[in-house]
Amino acid sequence: MTQTNKPAAPRKSPRSVALILSLALLVGGLGVLAAVVHFTMPRGGQLASSSSAIGGAFTLTDQTGKPFTEKDLQGKPSLVFFGFTHCPDICPTKLFEITQLLDTLGPDAARVNVIFVTVDPARDTTELLATYLGSFHASIRGLTGTEEQVTQAMRAYRAYGRKVPLDGGGYTMDHTTFVYLMDRQGQFVSTFDVAREPARAAADLRRFL
């Protein structure tokens, strides 16, 4: 009997193995995100199949020192955004886009809650929030609190915030960049795209007034 020697399978390089593992982790991570949030795509944002997945009880303080809870969101649709005042680009850009949206809404801006929740309560005091938000639309409310209170708010919204050390000392924050749209009952509706032409974003938001 003649034995045929099959050629050995090519060995994968360490780089190829690392790439395969990275892709597997990415796919797994996206699967977890999809399981938690489970979005579909309507006009103006991403609609959650389960409105109870995002939102819930929290107790924070606004930039004037006034207590603010999830009950203060009820009665108006709300835009909720998590960030921090030392953010170099994403946060000021989002807040500027929200300001343009509110300017476009005109008098209807008073019929919307707009909430900026810090993920960096160690630095973002009520006084600093008041100064920082002075550069944006006057109706935007900044919220802060203790580490525990802010963590509770982030958990309620499935938001993310993590300190990232900087070379030479100090830190920045890695954080969720979604703008959440809540309805007049304080229930999650969708993420909301504020990076569009302001008239289009305003037309979408007016559907929830």
Side-chain angles (χ1 to χ4, degrees):
M1 179 182 295
T2 303
Q3 182 175 3
T4 302
N5 293 323
K6 295 182 180 179
R11 296 181 63 186
K12 292 183 174 65
S13 68
R15 183 177 180 181
S16 298
V17 173
L19 178 59
I20 292 169
L21 289 175
S22 297
L23 289 172
L25 289 172
L26 175 61
V27 172
L30 291 174
V32 171
L33 178 62
V36 171
V37 182
H38 193 41
F39 288 128
T40 58
M41 292 288 293
R43 183 179 66 173
Q46 293 176 302
L47 184 65
S49 62
S50 174
S51 62
S52 62
I54 293 176
F58 64 85
T59 301
L60 295 168
T61 303
D62 74 8
Q63 72 265 41
T64 70
K66 182 179 178 181
F68 192 100
T69 75
E70 76 285 352
K71 294 179 181 178
D72 291 296
L73 297 179
Q74 297 177 3
K76 300 178 182 179
S78 303
L79 297 178
V80 181
F81 175 57
F82 288 80
F84 65 116
T85 64
H86 289 72
C87 183
D89 43 37
I90 293 174
C91 298
T93 298
K94 290 281 188 184
L95 290 169
F96 176 71
E97 291 166 345
I98 291 171
T99 294
Q100 288 186 306
L101 166 60
L102 294 173
D103 286 341
T104 302
L105 284 172
D108 282 339
R111 301 171 61 191
V112 181
N113 296 311
V114 181
I115 309 303
F116 176 69
V117 185
T118 184
V119 296
D120 185 18
R123 293 186 295 193
D124 286 345
T125 62
T126 55
E127 294 81 8
L128 183 54
L129 280 173
T131 300
Y132 181 73
L133 292 175
S135 299
F136 304 102
H137 198 280
S139 66
I140 300 175
R141 299 180 73 173
L143 302 182
T144 189
T146 65
E147 290 278 355
E148 293 77 12
Q149 289 172 328
V150 169
T151 296
Q152 173 59 36
M154 288 194 293
R155 285 175 179 166
Y157 281 81
R158 307 299 191 266
Y160 170 76
R162 181 177 66 88
K163 287 185 179 180
V164 179
L166 296 174
D167 293 339
Y171 65 91
T172 187
M173 299 293 295
D174 188 17
H175 64 94
T176 302
T177 60
F178 292 134
V179 176
Y180 300 94
L181 172 62
M182 315 299 287
D183 67 17
R184 284 175 291 182
Q185 288 72 48
Q187 298 296 310
F188 176 72
V189 175
S190 68
T191 60
F192 195 83
D193 180 11
V194 297
R196 296 170 289 162
E197 198 273 324
R200 290 183 57 203
D204 276 342
L205 188 54
R206 280 195 172 99
R207 297 186 294 128
F208 299 95
L209 297 180

